[in-house]
Amino acid sequence: MEPSAAGLVQLLKLNLTKMGKTYGISIHSLQIMRISSILIFLQLFAVYLFAAHDTNAQLISIAADRASVREVFSQIEKQAKFTFSYQESTIKETPAITLYIKNKQLTEVLFELSRKTDLNFKQIGKVIAVTKIKKDGPQKENGLHLKPIKAVQDYEMISTQDTIRGKVINENGEPLIGASVAVKGTKTVAITGNDGGFVLPNTEKNATLIITYVGYESREVSANNTANVILNKKTSYLDEVQVIPYGTTTRRLNTGSVSSITSEEIENQPVSNPLATLAGRVPGIIVSENSGMPGSGFSIQIRGRNSLAQGSEPLYLIDGIPFSPGNINMNVITNSPSPFSISGQSPFYAINPTDIESIEILKDADALAIYGSRGANGVVMITTKKATVGKTSISANISSGVSHVVRMMDLMNTEQYLEMRREAFNNDGYDPDIFSAPDLLLWDTNRYTDYQKELIGGTARRTNAQLSVSGGTANTQVLFSGGYLKETNVFPGDLPNQRGNASINARHASSDQRFQLNLSTAYSYSENRSPATDLTYLTYLAPNTPSFYDDARNLQWELNGATFENPYTFLHRKFVAQTENFNSSLVASYQLFESLTIRTSMGYNTVIGNQIGVNPASAENPIYSPVNNTVFADNRFSGWTIEPQAEYTDNLWLGKLSILVGATLQSNTHDASSITASGFSNESLMESLGAASELTFPYSTNTQYRYGAAFGRINYNIADKYLINITGRRDGSSRFGPGKQFATFGAVGAAWIFSEEQWVKQAIPVLSYGKLRGSYGSTGNDQIGDYRYLDTWAPYERNYSNMATIYPLWLYNPSYGWEVNKKLEGALELSFFEERTLLSTAFFRNRSGNQLVNYSLPTQTGFMSINRNMPALIQNSGWELMLNTVNIRNSLLNWSSSFNITFAKNKLLEFPDLETSPYAYQYIIGQPLNLIYGFRSMGVDPETGVYQFLDVDGSETFNAADLTVNGNLDPKYYGGFRNTISIKGFEADVFFEFRKQIGLGHLGATYLQRQIPGTMYNQPSYMLDRWQQEGDLTEIEKFTTFDWNTGNTTSSDVLYEDASYLRLKNICIAYNFPKTITQKIKADNFRIYLQGQNLLTITNYSGIDPETRNPFWLPTLGTYTIGAQIIF
Amino acid sequence: MKKIINKIVHQILRVTSLLILPIIIYSSCSKFIQVDDPIGQIVTSTAFQDEQTATSAIMGIYSNLLVRSASIGSGGVTLYTGLTADELYYTGTDQGYIGFYNNTIHPNSGIISNDIWRFAYQYIYQTNACIAGLESSLLDLSVKNQLLGEVYTIRAFCYWYLVNLFGDVPLILDIEYQANSKAGRISSDVIYQQIVLDLETAYDLLDKEYHGYDRDRVNKWTAAAFLARVHLYLGNWQVAREYATEVIMQPQYRLEEDLNSVFRIESQEVIWRLVERTPNLRFTVESGKFIPSTLPNARPVLAIDHDLLDDFDPTDERLTNWTTSRTIFGVNYTYPFKFKYRTSALGQTEALTPFRLAELYLIRAEAQTNLGEYPEALEYLNMVRVRAGLNKLFSDDKPEILDFIIRERRIEFFAEWGHRWFDLKRTGKINEVLSKSKSNWTHTAALWPIPVSEIQRNPNLTQNPGYE
């Protein structure tokens, strides 16, 4: 029902004051948002003025004490610009009336008037026609046909009418606010109010009402059965709400490529990082865990590598607000003593997966262009849980579990190891001496320790507790949630990681639901005490390495004059990383007219990391004369965003038009600092900066990033059949120099839901849904780092001659600009058998040009590279396929499956003057970027026992002319397979991930790290299958201690092997107790579950983990947890 | 129809009125996205506008010279020319070092490409950037001149090592990366001309006094000492003698009587020292390499070649004070002991010393011998010998005196800044001497290879003979 303009103004006045109050609170509580609240007021003020000019906007007051109808008419005519038209005879018999009305809409006034008289009213333009109700009708004559004042055409007076009242609720008894109740066959529509109630005056008693509500199945009911109309939530996958940038749609009507996973899938996984939950579940995206250490980072790539050198990181948004650290390494302290230090802590560890409602991955230009220069590598949108209407609901969820390394390497025992060593010396023609072979000559050759078991063979424990309380009235809803997580390591010693988090979501709406305010605030604190160094690389110590402790339980560093690495040094050091995360977003919206809503979203996000690395002298080898020192480091990211928007939706011509315009202001800062403190009088004081007498190596950095843009989107939907979506954004980034800051990006997406065509329906009756969609557009990439266009000098951490020092940071080049990524997509979505089978196929082709690179330079220029654009063109293309099926669906058993697979190909299309460029030996036109370009192995020469390589040019020497393409490191295909089965109260969810790829093998890693078979490092026992004598045919070279003598091998394909795998990524088995039991404990639901992660891996890969593909990093752990959830 | 059009127009008006706000915001965007200059970074245009910051930029060069492990400023020349010449041998198995000792340096050597070449040109970039900055600055002339003088001296210092190690090298004198990235190798004569020009400019600009801590920074006499060395190498005996004499006449320099004091930071023999005064880094790169750890079986990584040991007079106090030895499993290793501390908790005690007075004595002696002034030449030679507890030498045979001087230089400057390697090269005796002591010696080994990675990035670079 369209509102009258008069009512609008009243509401507007009311809400301005109301909003002012509500707003006042938020201004005080969140000072950051002061600016944006001013903006909102400005916007509202403009609208207010605009609305006041609307001629229809008028409220009417009547004061009539036994007055004639004519007098009442005259009062109305004075206030509203309407004229009453009637014949004298009509009102002649009408008795005098008493009527007091204050500030009511005209329709209501007339309705009252009609009730008190025998008159009926009909509006025709500016004239209100007065007629007399016929006395001889079958019904009591008190009707006024209420019509929206704007639309008056074909009103016919009905006498078989009554006022129909009713209420619309959902399955849980919660009122559905804003549902539309239409009288079938007429244009009369009512909208439900705050309690779900509606009123339809003068409606035929036997009319049929059509009730519709977004996300619910529409229902037709008889007008005499409206007490509690229950609408069922749509179970249709296609009609589930789909979050898109600056709004929502449904999968059915989406024109872009958006994949998502829901809270159900997230909660079934016993993981602590939200990024982990994506692995294998979303087509087109590769998620890999860098290491199995708690809090470790994840690498993510959406639809391939778009950039030669600069970041291929997607944009991460939490409730629409950019997550300020992105996916970087949170650790400032990276100068750990070993080159194998952990890949860093993930900032996403600060986000509790349980708080997430859904994660959306945006992939094509249609979905991404609205993010302009930030969208080239895709967008990961995290939407947190929101409060819901209903009685107070309390949910508690506790789980506990264990993690361990699932797949250990089969390493040599001491006997095999020593045999390898002796044979290596023999092959080399050297006698082992005490310097090169303490393991053979100085140490106990009978000693054996399984260092895998000792160092990474532990069991990590995991405890997770979550509590949430939610509830609310139709106008105000609140959700509180809190959680606690504790995880330990598989390393020896007790090194707990803990995370606590709390969040509040509150939503308030004015009683007519036009003004809405939604505030989400989340805070988390985590403390990570994992050692700064991943101990996995030390599992390859010689198996007869002496004990790490001497008899007096002191750390031991040498035996018989030979020193060795002692892994326990890292356990006696201390590394504490504390991370605080605060996220807050506020969305305020106001529906000015039915067709126009203005909205402002504001967000603030800060992530603060404090790290301390305590290195007591007692934990270090005394030959290095260590001193007590502690590194203190801070890392702080913060950012705010303001996005005013206006959205206009109306019917236009044949379809529904929706226009969104908006602007973005975003500011991010990053500060980091560190200092090394020493001169502590006592090791127990080392965590106190104040106790240090010397401070050295001060380091600090501060960067600021600003981004501003205006964007728009036009969406036109004809009969839910033809859809077109045009998006555009003009934006500017502070990462570029003068004249290069602004650029325009845009995209067109279109969809045709051909299953809605009659002829298709007739031709293919089993087809319940079919959509053909496509998009084309451009996005940009500004991941170049801040200030790179400036000609700057930075302070060096050391002094010279009592003076501070500065040095030039980089070569000066102010004239680089955006990397432009043009994306093309075509997709076909089909659904058969009433949506029991859903197949979606997408083809994509992304071309990224104007590459921003760190162009390599000869170092005679003073630097190794310079930032510049290069006209190289990179293409990522591929197919994504997703199949969802409901295999069995009946009252007893539900079984559904979901399968996704992605075939992707990366290709360098253009690279002018590649041959003479510094990249000549790195890339080849027509080949993928992650190319394995090197010598081709011809196996081990049976005569010499060493690898021989293909001599391409027959020159008998190996140089650039002999390099060949030996495959590439991009997965050929990857995906996942999920089955969910529920039988009565039991549920089972089983998920497999698979990937077909080549990766750095274990042997390859040993070559690159100079730990080749024969040197003083343990090896997998399959290395025993090596060349020993002339004529041996084998894959493994003869053992050697000459670790430097690997020249051609390290540039060859020997390093790589098949690293494909099929992994049982996740199992969740749950049992929901029946109502009969839950009711006894007064609970709504009680559920116990068993979850497992990374339980089984099927692979031919020789190394410890085909996911990390690095033998020196802790593999992804297998986890089992058991838990219970109860909801009251 | 008219109604519909009216409606459209009406709604468009409504929408456009709301568009105004984003447009206003956006139009202020160009201002919004201007960020402040980064905190803690200085834009070149302001870096040279005040004395403090400009000095910091020059101190950044000194610091960088020191801090890069084993570059031309921090012991790299000492270690690697010690191996390629007949001073040191390597006891370990790292092929990178073995290549230097065997004079079969791989053109892919990371030591050459990274530690030596890359950092040398990084220092040169810093000097060029500072020169550009200083020349356009409005600093007080006296400050500007001193700083410019220091920078020119350091640039000469870098080129001097590059030209002596590699022969012809690219001559980069500004910060125009596009042209510089394509620059080919320039004849070593031209490089030498530039070195002389830079040093003469520096000599004119520099103050006589030291700025900052005593002798940490270059002064006029450093430039003079350097000019003496360069002219000696060029055979300009007269000029070499004059510059050497000028430095020798300065009262602030004197030979330390105690050999163990020569490299200490209070040494009066030092003309220019590079010293790390940051706490916790209290040792020189050289001592860290030469002195073995305290572990019972730790052997020296780099030990003194027997050929050199045999050249020491048994009574030479430098043998007892500047070398020491260790026997590991029956094998005796003698190693350089000019620096005494591998690590030290005693505070900074020792410093790298690119120029010290003893060199000027021997430069003057050599120049005067060539000029026929034998008695004076011998006088200065003998001052160095007497300090080492040796007898005085006398002769009036020029080749014999020259031989005395070269032998003296070998002992006095062993394992010090590449003197031996360069002396062998400049006297033309390298093939004669090293073909005797080194089994793999080839004539082309006198020049180190140009890094292959550099040739790949700049096709105009050529490789030295013997390394293609």
Side-chain angles (χ1 to χ4, degrees), chain A residues 434 625 648 730 793 795 798, chain B residues 11 26 40 42 281 329 343 454:
Chain A
I434 57 150
S625 308
Y648 171 83
R730 169 124 183 119
W793 297 62
R798 299 162 192 241
Chain B
Q11 299 291 22
Y26 182 71
I42 298 146
L281 282 177
F329 287 86
T343 59
E454 296 300 316

Side-chain angles (χ1 to χ4, degrees), chain A residues 43 50 434-435 560-561 596 625 648 661 678 706 730 734 791 793 795 798 800-801 804 806 859-860 1044, chain B residues 11 14 18-19 21 26 32 40 42 44 56 67 93 95 180 183 213 216 276 280-281 297 299 329 343 454:
Chain A
Q43 256 188 338
F50 187 76
I434 57 150
F435 305 110
N560 302 334
L596 186 62
S625 308
Y648 171 83
V661 294
S678 55
R706 284 197 164 191
R730 169 124 183 119
S734 65
D791 183 13
W793 297 62
R798 299 162 192 241
Y800 190 81
S801 197
I806 58 171
T859 61
Q860 66 193 50
W1044 65 86
Chain B
Q11 299 291 22
R14 283 184 175 184
L18 283 157
L19 275 176
L21 193 78
Y26 182 71
F32 175 76
I42 298 146
T44 298
S56 289
V67 83
T93 53
Q95 199 65 11
N180 292 343
Y213 282 126
D216 279 11
E276 177 64 75
N280 293 335
L281 282 177
N297 286 330
R299 67 179 160 182
F329 287 86
T343 59
E454 296 300 316

